[in-house]
Each structure stands twice: as structure tokens, then as C-alpha cells.
Amino acid sequence: MDSLIAIGTSAALLYSLYETIRLFLGAHHGSHGLYYETAATIITLILLGKTLENRSKGRASEAIKKLMRLRPKTALIIREGREFEVPVEFINPGDRVLVKPGTTIPVDGMVVEGSSSVDESMLTGESLPVEKGTGSPVYGGTLNNQGILVIEATKVGSESLLSQIIHLVETAQGSRAPIARLADQVSGVFVPIVVAIALLSALAWYLAGQGIFFSLSVLVAVLTIACPCALGLATPTAIMVGSGRAAELGILFKSGEALERAHTINLVALDKTGTITEGKPRLADLWIAPQEKGLFDINSVPEFNGRSAQGSLQTSSSEETLTGEAPVFPETWLLRLAASLEKASEHPLASAIVQAAQEQKLELLPVQDVQAYPGKGIEGTVAYDATPHTLLVGNRLFLEEKAIPQNEAFMAGMLKAETLYREGKTVLHVALDGQYLGLLAVADTLRPTSKGAIEHLKAAGITTVLISGDHRHTAEAIAAQVGIERVFAEVLPQDKAAIIQELKKEGLRVAMVGDGINDAPALASADVGIAIGAGTDIAMESADIVLVHSDPRDILTALQISRRVMRTIKQNLFWAFAYNVMGIPIAAGLLHVFGGPLLNPMLAAAAMSFSSVSVVLNALRLRYYRG
């Protein structure tokens, strides 16, 4: 794009050199053909414009600078009972780091000693400090307010959350959006046309009898004012400012392409657990099925004491059975079995069961040969006596696939499950050695902002659907609470991507929002994948946008930022191109034809620089977007 400036100033300089030689040889009238000051002034004005652009773009990258300033340079580590101050880059996973009050936490880790409140506003945007105690996660760059903490480093260097955020922002700001190709294509055609116009204009004025000086002035003015620098700045400056502002709001665009695609979205598909809900379910109900006489060996239950355990759970044992038999083991035994197997799973529902067992202070049993079936359940071998037993925990489909007999106990469990599903709870059935034992119901609380987020998406004209692997009644109950009308339930992980493809075939531009490993294929299949920040690394790798605050309201904010950025890019491209189209005839001498002035090349250079600066200033307005 600078070729036009190079051609114009070179023409002026070379002609000036030619006239200087003629002047030296005695042609004194050549002094009127010197354009040294024109070339020098044009280059000076261009450099001034570039300087203003760079300063403006520097303001656009403030988001990264702010994040980088959060990184402490040194940290106190504890080794062999002594404290050592070391550079942060020397900390390794597993090292114990001492964090004093009022200092910045240097690495991601887990609190192993002490308690304090930590200011995490740089990550979450929430001004209120978060209480931290033993077992609490902490993140590098956050501020320890009051107490002394000893943390065990888990992620250091480039693996820390702060480093990943900085990397994503840098990548997005340095990437090119597809619309940037439009500027390249325009410039590729525009530059040769401008050169031709400049040469033809100069030739026309020379043939009209205006002389070489006048013609050269026209040539230089046309080439200078037509330099499409503003076209080149239109896209990258808007992307840089927009992605930087998004990062300040806790929204990370991974690329300029993602930033561009997001503005076309008209349907948002949401996962349920961890997206619409908190993703921190708790065990709410525990139910034991009536057993037929002789099917379960009561002597094999280690902690059987002839009565149900009393705990904080809402348990329900069926005292009246179809077979005339009462339950033959306590609820704690069913919970102990399920938790022992689910400990091998990373699913939020599994964590809820394990947590309930820990709260009851139950000792978990050793399990072997564990195999998970995504979207269905988990299977393993448990040994609580001399004999190994096959244990299953999962949904009805899983038990049916494993050929669990559909006897009276099984059917009673299914009836109980239907009631729990209608309450919006998720049910896990338990079977041991081919015998149905009972079920556990897990309830997940809605995120406080989920309903408002759905309402705002609808108000913006964006359709929402819920895609969940949960039972239809549970999914529909959650959807009804937040106002989602279209529900895809009992969907296996591999089928989520297929549903996204079907929605796209309907002519919709689809964004998928999820947080788990099972959402990764759907995130990759969508036009735009959006990962909840508290989710798994795999989900965030598969996504195009990461919501650091894990707030569903940020979905609409991300889409709106994309729309603002694209609107700004189009404004910049329009005005940059229109400016050149209007400026070229004036520089070519159109006004002079009607008795007006001829545009001085130096004024053309100043005007060209102003157009570039105005494009950058227009992009900088994005810094003040509030959402």
C-alpha cells in the first residue's frame, strides 16, 4: 500500500535531481522545478501519521499490558522448612509457595495451609473478595488480601490461567479476519488503477500545455492522496481494539475469524450441566428398591446394622414392596457402592456422589477394571468380600444395554425415577451382579444469571435451544425454568455434534456453549464454539471463544462485541474507500478545470495521513463499549 507514496516521492525526487543537474550545467530556469521540499514534507507527514497510528494502536493493546503487569517477578518458596526468594520462572509444579498479605499470588495452585480472602476481580470481574482455605484453588495474578497462604503450585509459566489469557488475546489481536481479504483484494486492484490515473492525468495536463512542473505536481498529488493506508488499517485496528476490550470484560476471542463469524449467529445451543446450571450438583435423594427374597446376601454387607443410616440426605426406602419384602440393606451401603465406582469419573454428577459419601464419612471400596460409557454410565469390579462383584451406575439405557432384568424392583425404580425427573433432578441407577439395587438423584442449581441471559438473547432476536444428555423430563424442567422452548434430551456426546449439523442445515448460524469434554465435538462443529471458563481444558481448546467469568450473560456480550467490531470495520472500509474516490479527482485537477485551485502534493499527504488517523480513532471507540 505504501507503493503509491514511494512512486510519488521518488518521481518528485528524481525529477528534482534532474533539474539540479541542469541547474549545475547552466539552465538557471531549472530552479523552478525543484521538489525536494515536497518529497521531504510528504514523507514527514506520512511518518507523523504513522506515529499517531502507532500511539493509537498502543492504546488499543492496553488490555495485554494490564494483564502482563499482574505477573509478579519473584516469589517465596518453602524448601526444607526455609524460605527462598526466587524468580517466578524457577517455580516448578509441586513447589510450596508462601504468599503474604497484600502480595500477588505468583502461580496457579491449591491452598495447603492458611486462610485468606483473595481479590480475583482481574479474572471474574467481581469486586468482592473470595474466601480461600485449605483445598481452595488460587490463580496467578490475583491479590491476597489478609491472611498468609501456603499454596502448592499446580500450573506455572505458560500453563497458568493468566498466561493462557494473555496468549489468547495476543493471538486474536495479531490474527486476520476473512473480511481483511477484502481490503487486500481492493488494494490489489486499486493501486494499479491509481498509478494509471496518475500517469494519464499528468499526461493530459502536459498535452493541454500546462508544462512539466504542473503535470508532475498532479502526478505526485494523485499518487499520495490515493495511498490506501486507511484501507489497510480498517480491519486490524478494529480487531485489536475489539478483542482487547472483550478481554477486559472476560471474553477471549481466539482469532479474528472467530470475532467475525460471531456477528452472524442467530441460534445459541446450550449444554445444561455447568452452563445453564452451576455444574456443582449435590445428592438430593437416595432410594432403595424392594428386593425379592434371597436375591441379596445380607451377610455380605460389611456395615449392616439392621437399620437405615441417619444422615443429612433425603433418603427414601420403600417399606411396602410388591414382593412383601422390605429393603435388606441401609442407604449408606448403596451410597458407598456408587461413590466407590464414581470416584474414577470426572463427571460433575460423579463428584456430587463422592462428595456426599465423604460428608457421611464413608470409607470407599477399592474398584478395578473401571470402564466409562460417555452419556450412559460407568462399570467396574468391586471387592468388599472374598468375591469380586460387577457394579453398574448409570441411566436406564445403560442398564438395559447391560441386560439388567426388568423385574419388579427394576420397574419400581423406573417409576420412582419419573417422579424425580419431573422435579428437574438427574437420576443414576445402581445394579450389582445383575441385580437392580436402587437409585440416587442429583440436583443441580441454576446459575443465578441463566434466566436473564436467555431473556436477553431472545430480546436480541437470537433463538436458544438446550442440548443435554440428561433424561427428557429433567432437561425440560430446567429449560422451562429459564425460558428455553426447544429441547434435545438424552443426547449422547457424539450425537451433540450431529444435532449442531442438523441445525446448520436448517439455515441457522449456530453457536454452541458448553464446558465439558463431552461438549468438545459439538463446540468444534458449531459455527462458533463458546466455552465456559470454568470448564475443562479440552472444551476450551475446541472453542473459538472462552468466557472467563463463566457467566451466561457474557454470551450475548460476546456476540454484541462481534457485531460492533464488524460494524466498525465496514464503516472504516467505506469511508477509507470513499475518501480515496473523492480525493483522486481533486488531486487530478478537477477543481482547476473550473477555475479552482490545484491540490498541492503536501496537502494531499496531510489529507492522506488524516484519513488513516481517523480510521484508527473510529476503531478506538470500541474501547468504551460497556455491554
Side-chain angles (χ1 to χ4, degrees):
M1 293 182 181
D2 289 334
S3 59
L4 296 178
I5 298 298
I7 294 171
T9 53
S10 297
L13 185 63
L14 289 173
Y15 185 77
S16 298
L17 286 172
Y18 167 71
E19 289 295 330
T20 300
I21 293 171
R22 288 188 64 206
L23 184 64
F24 180 76
L25 294 175
H28 300 292
H29 62 277
S31 60
H32 300 291
L34 299 180
Y35 276 87
Y36 289 121
E37 78 286 355
T38 299
T41 305
I42 288 173
I43 292 175
T44 301
L45 289 169
I46 298 303
L47 291 176
L48 176 61
K50 295 286 185 185
T51 302
L52 293 173
E53 291 166 18
N54 290 332
R55 289 188 63 183
S56 298
K57 287 192 284 187
R59 291 171 62 197
S61 60
E62 275 298 312
I64 289 182
K65 294 176 184 176
K66 287 179 183 177
L67 291 172
M68 287 182 171
R69 285 196 289 267
L70 293 171
R71 288 172 163 170
K73 292 184 171 27
T74 61
L76 292 172
I77 64 171
I78 301 174
R79 287 179 182 165
E80 298 178 354
R82 298 176 59 191
E83 297 177 16
F84 299 89
E85 185 173 0
V86 299
V88 171
E89 53 267 25
F90 289 0
I91 300 176
N92 299 312
D95 283 347
R96 295 207 165 188
V97 181
L98 178 66
V99 185
K100 295 182 178 180
T103 60
T104 302
I105 296 173
V107 293
D108 294 4
M110 193 73 69
V111 177
V112 292
E113 292 180 27
S115 61
S116 181
S117 62
V118 175
D119 180 1
E120 295 185 344
S121 58
M122 52 77 66
L123 286 179
T124 64
E126 296 295 332
S127 57
L128 294 177
V130 181
E131 296 299 321
K132 301 289 183 179
T134 303
S136 300
V138 291
Y139 304 98
T142 56
L143 181 65
N144 180 27
N145 285 333
Q146 299 167 337
I148 296 177
L149 295 176
V150 177
I151 66 171
E152 182 176 314
T154 55
K155 292 184 178 180
V156 299
S158 61
E159 293 183 354
S160 70
L161 181 59
L162 179 60
S163 295
Q164 290 177 5
I165 290 173
I166 292 172
H167 173 69
L168 286 175
V169 176
E170 287 177 331
T171 301
Q173 291 191 338
S175 65
R176 291 168 59 83
I179 197 172
R181 301 191 194 107
L182 176 62
D184 292 341
Q185 292 167 355
V186 169
S187 298
V189 176
F190 185 72
V191 170
I193 291 176
V194 168
V195 172
I197 292 173
L199 291 172
L200 290 173
S201 299
L203 180 61
W205 283 112
Y206 181 75
L207 294 176
Q210 289 293 340
I212 189 66
F213 308 129
F214 188 96
S215 301
L216 182 61
S217 180
V218 169
L219 174 73
V220 175
V222 171
L223 292 174
T224 302
I225 202 167
C227 177
C229 296
L231 278 175
L233 290 167
T235 299
T237 50
I239 289 176
M240 176 176 282
V241 180
S243 57
R245 178 56 183 154
E248 292 175 353
L249 295 173
I251 300 165
L252 304 179
F253 289 91
K254 286 190 174 181
S255 66
E257 186 175 358
L259 188 58
E260 179 175 339
R261 286 202 310 266
H263 90 282
T264 65
I265 296 301
N266 52 23
L267 182 140
V268 174
L270 301 109
D271 176 51
K272 180 178 73 69
T273 305
T275 303
I276 294 296
T277 63
E278 291 281 4
K280 298 177 181 178
R282 294 186 61 83
L283 185 60
D285 293 89
L286 192 153
W287 183 86
I288 298 174
Q291 304 297 328
E292 296 179 16
K293 187 174 182 179
L295 284 182
F296 192 86
D297 182 8
I298 188 60
N299 296 318
S300 66
V301 181
E303 77 266 28
F304 177 68
N305 55 14
R307 60 183 177 82
S308 296
Q310 298 298 317
S312 58
L313 298 176
Q314 180 184 343
T315 58
S316 54
S317 299
S318 177
E319 298 297 340
E320 296 180 4
T321 73
L322 300 175
T323 60
E325 296 290 335
V328 291
F329 57 93
E331 288 89 345
T332 50
W333 176 238
L334 183 67
L335 177 58
R336 186 181 181 192
L337 282 174
S340 299
L341 185 56
E342 291 286 15
K343 189 176 183 181
S345 173
E346 295 182 354
H347 196 282
L349 300 181
S351 301
I353 293 172
V354 173
Q355 181 182 354
Q358 291 172 343
E359 290 172 356
Q360 295 272 328
K361 298 181 180 180
L362 302 178
E363 182 180 353
L364 302 186
L365 303 166
V367 293
Q368 296 178 335
D369 305 322
V370 177
Q371 186 172 0
Y373 298 83
K376 297 178 183 178
I378 189 169
E379 177 182 13
T381 302
V382 60
Y384 51 83
D385 53 17
T387 308
H389 303 272
T390 301
L391 179 64
L392 305 175
V393 179
N395 57 26
R396 177 172 182 165
L397 176 62
F398 182 53
L399 266 60
E400 289 176 347
E401 287 184 357
K402 293 297 181 179
I404 302 300
Q406 297 190 19
N407 53 21
E408 294 176 354
F410 181 95
M411 298 312 296
M414 298 307 123
L415 287 173
K416 178 67 177 178
E418 289 296 322
T419 302
L420 296 170
Y421 285 137
R422 292 189 183 94
E423 297 173 3
K425 298 173 182 176
T426 301
V427 175
L428 296 174
H429 300 280
V430 182
L432 184 69
D433 293 333
Q435 178 183 354
Y436 184 84
L437 295 187
L439 59 81
L440 304 100
V442 176
D444 194 1
T445 56
L446 284 175
R447 289 187 185 274
T449 57
S450 291
K451 186 174 182 180
I454 301 302
E455 291 174 350
H456 291 151
L457 284 168
K458 285 184 176 181
I462 298 171
T463 306
T464 55
V465 300
L466 184 67
I467 302 179
S468 174
D470 220 331
H471 190 278
R472 174 160 295 280
H473 287 315
T474 302
E476 288 178 346
I478 295 295
Q481 291 180 50
V482 295
I484 297 177
E485 297 172 358
R486 191 174 180 184
V487 178
F488 297 90
E490 300 176 10
V491 179
L492 298 178
Q494 60 269 28
D495 295 332
K496 288 186 177 182
I499 290 174
I500 295 297
Q501 292 296 336
E502 288 298 320
L503 291 170
K504 290 168 69 174
K505 287 179 182 178
E506 295 178 15
L508 298 166
R509 300 284 292 177
V510 181
M512 173 68 194
V513 187
D515 74 319
I517 293 174
N518 61 337
D519 298 320
L523 290 171
S525 298
D527 293 302
V528 174
I530 302 176
I532 292 292
T536 64
D537 291 340
I538 293 177
M540 287 190 277
E541 281 295 321
S542 304
D544 302 297
I545 303 171
V546 179
L547 307 182
V548 176
H549 301 166
S550 301
D551 189 341
R553 290 177 299 185
D554 288 342
I555 299 169
L556 181 59
T557 303
L559 302 183
Q560 288 177 332
I561 287 177
S562 173
R563 291 175 178 178
R564 289 287 185 93
V565 169
M566 293 308 299
R567 189 181 350 173
T568 301
I569 289 174
K570 290 173 182 177
Q571 288 171 352
N572 285 350
L573 289 173
F574 172 79
W575 286 113
F577 188 71
Y579 175 86
N580 284 325
V581 169
M582 291 185 294
I584 289 172
I586 297 173
L590 179 63
L591 297 180
H592 193 69
V593 172
F594 300 100
L598 182 68
L599 184 65
N600 188 296
M602 290 182 281
L603 292 177
M608 190 281 294
S609 296
F610 175 76
S611 71
S612 298
V613 173
S614 64
V615 162
V616 176
L617 292 175
N618 187 44
L620 284 174
R621 292 188 305 118
L622 292 166
R623 293 184 66 209
Y624 306 103
Y625 174 78
R626 299 297 177 188

